Amino acid sequence: MKGLMIQGTASDVGKSLIVTALCRILSNEGVRVTPFKSQNMSNNSYVTKDGKEIGRAQGIQAEAARTEPSVWMNPILLKPRSAQNAEIVYLGKAIETLSGRGYREHFYEKGLAVIKKSLQHLGDEYEILVIEGAGSPVEINLKDRELVNMKVAELADIPVVLVADIDRGGVFASIVGTLDLLEPNERERVVGVIINKFRGDLSLFEDGVQWLEEKTGVPVLGVLPFVENHMIDGEDSLSIMTQFAYPRKGTLDIAVIHLPFISNYSDLEPLLYEEDVTLRWVKHASELGHPDAIIIPGTKSTISDMQTLRDNQLDILIKNHVANGGFIVGICGGYQILGEELIDKEGRDINIPNYIVKGFGLIPAITTFYQEKETNRVIAQYHQATGLTATQRLEGYEIHLGKTIFSKGVVPFLTLANGEDDGYFGNDGQIIGTYLHHLFHNDEWRNQWLNMIRKKKGLPVQGIQSISEYKDKRFDILANEMKSHLKWDLMKKLIQQWGSK
């Protein structure tokens, strides 16, 4: 098996982005390449063509590699449901919820087996595997039963490149400390270091590169610049805050409710590239102000997050916003929150069977949570009763537990390809609820919705901003930028020569 594993000195050092770039670089050279991450912890997921759920980062990396995403690329996905527990998605299907201790004590052997099976499957189909680690490989309290860093490199028998983030500071200590804490056999597997997120004049770091190579005996394979607006979907809460850190001061003010267990926040990212839109997070009532529109995104724990909104009195402000004519969109869990009532029939959402709680009452609907999760790729069109017109179908995916039933006649938002209706379209589009993730990735819809807001503000309507046209181009831009700062020939040599001595 040929490949390379990208591990990091910490979380959010840029592993996912680098793996994405490497997948496109290799694909551009005609290599059949695939990404792999054995175990991912993220509520930002991706639905494969066959309706299975994997980490969003691996889905995006597969797109960069020009191959179809599959469960073999991320056989274990952990979706946090509380500070202590996470849902285990095994080969694309949710199987149980365990605590961190329960997972370590009862899932390790099963996890190890599916990782071996996945590696074998991918190794038979692809020429090179680009594997992503998680966090740091030297979390001493977890190393004995880890399933995502050096154990995976050992199973695949491939070399490791260590990535460090210079932007956060302490890059020398993080690299030297990580290498020193590795076991001798693990240390031998590290064939290079990449410095990521460098700002400024690269020539000023030449002495740093020399010192690192002399101190560690490991070559520095590249010093990568901080890449702004790369438009590659993020994976975790740290990348969320990075994306929204410096909102554009546009004329349309859109507030996104930052739920504690937010999921699939990549639904919102296309709005970041609309020139007249300010997209900002709101955690507390004092931050809401008077936006033109509010978006309540998906969540891994609808009832818990709704209670947080009530505790912060955001529910009152959101209802006042709608009463005053403000626009609102609820996606998946956000859609459920806008309803009249939520019933956790089997304790699937908060582990209390038959728990009933009132929603915000903005949509006349009752949502009941059942055991089985719905995960599907979806093609849809506007429901004819909305009066909306489109030249293109809407595409996205569903991933939810609840079944939402209306308590009276309403106008649905969408008609799915299977003939079923989805969502709610109220007050000529002022209130919208839907289970369709990636709604705003549909350029025509995003433009129609923003033009509704523009018209109400007395602003001129605008044409469609075709963000989707940039999707493939952005992979090439990223790959070319990264490759220009890497010792690429040496990296290929390290991949090909590993294990041949």
Side-chain angles (χ1 to χ4, degrees), residues 1 70 72 116-126:
M1 186 178 298
S70 76
W72 304 112
K116 291 177 181 177
K117 185 177 181 179
S118 298
L119 287 170
Q120 183 62 54
H121 183 93
L122 295 175
D124 290 342
E125 187 174 351
Y126 295 94

Side-chain angles (χ1 to χ4, degrees), residues 13-86:
V13 298
K15 297 186 292 292
S16 294
L17 194 66
I18 290 171
V19 169
T20 303
L22 294 178
C23 283
R24 177 47 62 100
I25 292 170
L26 288 162
S27 176
N28 284 345
E29 295 188 356
V31 176
R32 286 185 291 108
V33 57
T34 180
F36 179 72
K37 187 167 185 176
S38 56
Q39 171 190 287
N40 202 339
M41 178 172 280
S42 176
N43 277 333
N44 204 31
S45 56
Y46 186 106
V47 175
T48 62
K49 193 174 183 179
D50 56 353
K52 303 294 180 61
E53 190 177 1
I54 64 174
R56 178 138 198 91
Q58 282 62 64
I60 295 301
Q61 289 161 0
E63 291 179 5
R66 296 186 177 94
T67 192
E68 186 66 39
S70 76
V71 294
W72 304 112
M73 299 172 186
N74 176 217
I76 306 169
L77 174 62
L78 306 179
K79 304 191 75 173
R81 297 186 62 191
S82 70
Q84 301 294 328
N85 300 315

Side-chain angles (χ1 to χ4, degrees), residues 85-119:
N85 300 315
E87 178 185 72
I88 301 174
V89 179
Y90 176 86
L91 287 177
K93 289 291 184 182
I95 57 170
E96 59 183 322
T97 296
L98 291 174
S99 66
R101 181 174 294 277
Y103 179 76
R104 280 175 55 79
E105 291 178 355
H106 303 296
F107 192 79
Y108 181 77
E109 296 300 332
K110 185 173 184 176
L112 203 60
V114 77
I115 291 167
K116 291 177 181 177
K117 185 177 181 179
S118 298
L119 287 170

Side-chain angles (χ1 to χ4, degrees), residues 250-316:
T251 53
L252 302 185
D253 179 19
I254 300 177
V256 180
I257 306 302
H258 193 298
L259 304 171
F261 293 100
I262 185 172
S263 66
N264 296 82
Y265 61 86
S266 56
D267 288 343
L268 311 168
E269 289 180 328
L271 292 166
L272 290 169
Y273 305 101
E274 293 283 351
E275 291 294 333
D276 63 343
V277 169
T278 296
L279 196 66
R280 56 187 177 87
W281 288 120
V282 172
K283 288 186 177 181
H284 306 288
S286 61
E287 299 169 340
L288 184 62
H290 302 282
D292 299 305
I294 294 173
I295 298 174
I296 306 181
T299 165
K300 196 67 188 70
S301 184
T302 303
I303 294 174
S304 175
D305 280 355
M306 184 172 65
Q307 188 58 54
T308 298
L309 298 186
R310 286 208 167 104
D311 291 344
N312 291 332
Q313 297 187 321
L314 270 166
D315 61 327
I316 297 171

